[in-house]
Amino acid sequence: MSIAHGRLAVPAFSASSHRHPFLLRRGRFLSAVAKQTAKATRCPPEDGAQISSPSSASFSFPALHSLSSSQKDQISLYVRTLLQWNQRMNLTAVTEEREVMSRHVEDSLAILPPLQRSYLSHCCSSPPCDGLNVVDVGSGAGLPGLILAIACPNWKVTLLESMKKRCLFLEHIVALTGLSNVQILCERAENVGQSIDYRELFDVAVARAVAEMRTLAEYCLPLVRVGGLFIAAKGSDPQEEVKSAGKAIQLMGASFLELCTVGSHSPKGQRTTVICLKHRATPKRFPRHPGIPTKSPL
């Protein structure tokens, strides 16, 4: 696992990533991360509250049935740590274990079936979907990217997040869970999309609860290789949003592929996965400068 900040580092998923010259030049930042992580690890929850491991009832959701016992342990550790850190920084509005499992974990896992089905149908000639290079744009607390990395240990997953505090949490939880297939990139999507190290590198870009489709298309599609997928997790009725994003998706070199309805135990009910297929290179002018995609959507 590696973490890069500010300027961009070459992707790395090996133990030698810490020797990259850029990361050595950013030693102060990494030292600060290490100190804050150690401090946060020692601190108990505020007000003496005890956070227990998720109960077996929490794993009753269908999307979790296929996970191994070790993967369920990693999910439990993630949920417990998220709730603990959430007392000190704003990672999620959810404060109950079962809600984290239903609204975040299960919702993230719900992306997997349509992702795998579409990738096998349109992006590769034979199963299984091994060794995918996936980027989670606007990862926040690691959703859905960290959950996908746990569920698919043979994938390489990059968590792209611009906020330092969230990247601190991500580094901490990746270390705790022992995930070796995750890279954390602390940078804006607009900058990463213009980097020769990351542009059109990934097989799949995923995004959940980040922005509307017009903006997401400009954030995500420049990162996807020709022949790859862009997948957005949306609510129950995203048709108008998808329709308004048609121009942006086309400008990025992609086309709308399908809307997949997925079941969810979330209070918000039904969820929809929006899938786009990239069929040509994104024009060099995209993505535009940081902030522009949000202020002036295509």
Side-chain angles (χ1 to χ4, degrees), residues 239-253:
Q239 284 83 357
E240 286 301 316
E241 184 180 341
V242 172
K243 183 178 179 180
S244 68
K247 176 184 175 182
I249 293 170
Q250 184 178 28
L251 281 172
M252 296 303 116

Side-chain angles (χ1 to χ4, degrees), residues 8-293:
L8 302 173
V10 174
F13 294 89
S14 67
S16 62
S17 63
H18 66 280
R19 293 194 293 271
H20 190 277
F22 164 76
L23 295 179
L24 293 178
R25 289 199 298 271
R26 294 290 174 174
R28 291 183 180 179
F29 173 76
L30 295 176
S31 297
V33 166
K35 290 179 181 178
Q36 293 182 56
T37 300
K39 180 179 179 182
T41 304
R42 292 192 299 268
C43 291
E46 291 180 350
D47 301 323
Q50 296 297 316
I51 299 176
S52 60
S53 300
S55 63
S56 58
S58 297
F59 289 101
S60 62
F61 301 116
L64 298 165
H65 289 172
S66 62
L67 298 182
S68 68
S69 58
S70 61
Q71 288 170 321
K72 289 179 180 179
D73 288 342
Q74 288 174 310
I75 293 289
S76 295
L77 187 55
Y78 170 79
V79 172
R80 184 167 66 250
T81 307
L82 175 65
L83 290 172
Q84 184 172 353
W85 279 59
N86 201 50
Q87 297 179 23
R88 287 177 165 78
M89 66 174 69
N90 183 24
L91 292 169
T92 175
V94 179
T95 58
E96 297 295 329
E97 167 198 314
R98 190 170 179 83
E99 275 196 283
V100 174
M101 296 296 289
S102 63
R103 294 181 61 177
H104 292 325
V105 175
E106 189 201 29
D107 203 50
S108 295
L109 289 173
I111 295 173
L112 267 178
L115 186 162
Q116 293 171 322
R117 183 178 63 251
S118 293
Y119 194 85
L120 288 173
S121 298
H122 301 279
C123 307
C124 71
S125 58
S126 61
C129 292
D130 285 338
L132 290 191
N133 194 3
V134 178
V135 59
D136 177 17
V137 177
S139 189
L143 302 161
L146 192 81
I147 305 303
L148 297 181
I150 291 174
C152 303
N154 58 346
W155 291 7
K156 295 180 180 180
V157 179
T158 295
L159 307 179
L160 175 55
E161 171 57 47
S162 63
M163 294 187 64
K164 294 179 184 179
K165 288 184 178 180
R166 291 175 181 170
C167 289
L168 177 66
F169 168 75
L170 292 174
E171 187 193 49
H172 179 67
I173 193 63
V174 167
L176 278 181
T177 53
L179 290 170
S180 60
N181 62 331
V182 175
Q183 174 183 239
I184 301 163
L185 192 57
C186 192
E187 183 55 274
R188 293 188 64 112
E190 300 97 324
N191 293 332
V192 178
Q194 288 292 355
S195 166
I196 61 173
D197 294 326
Y198 296 95
R199 187 177 180 88
E200 301 192 330
L201 173 71
F202 299 94
D203 299 309
V204 180
V206 297
R208 176 181 179 270
V210 177
E212 65 168 303
M213 283 295 299
R214 291 183 298 171
T215 302
L216 273 183
E218 191 169 356
Y219 284 164
C220 296
L221 280 165
L223 298 170
V224 178
R225 67 169 177 85
V226 175
L229 298 178
F230 158 44
I231 297 180
K234 289 293 180 179
S236 61
D237 188 24
Q239 284 83 357
E240 286 301 316
E241 184 180 341
V242 172
K243 183 178 179 180
S244 68
K247 176 184 175 182
I249 293 170
Q250 184 178 28
L251 281 172
M252 296 303 116
S255 60
F256 169 72
L257 195 59
E258 61 178 320
L259 286 177
C260 297
T261 300
V262 296
S264 175
H265 289 81
S266 165
K268 296 183 179 180
Q270 178 183 301
R271 304 281 290 169
T272 307
T273 300
V274 183
I275 304 177
C276 299
L277 176 65
K278 186 165 180 178
H279 48 77
R280 58 180 172 81
T282 300
K284 293 182 179 179
R285 66 182 184 276
F286 299 117
R288 292 169 291 171
H289 293 301
I292 301 299

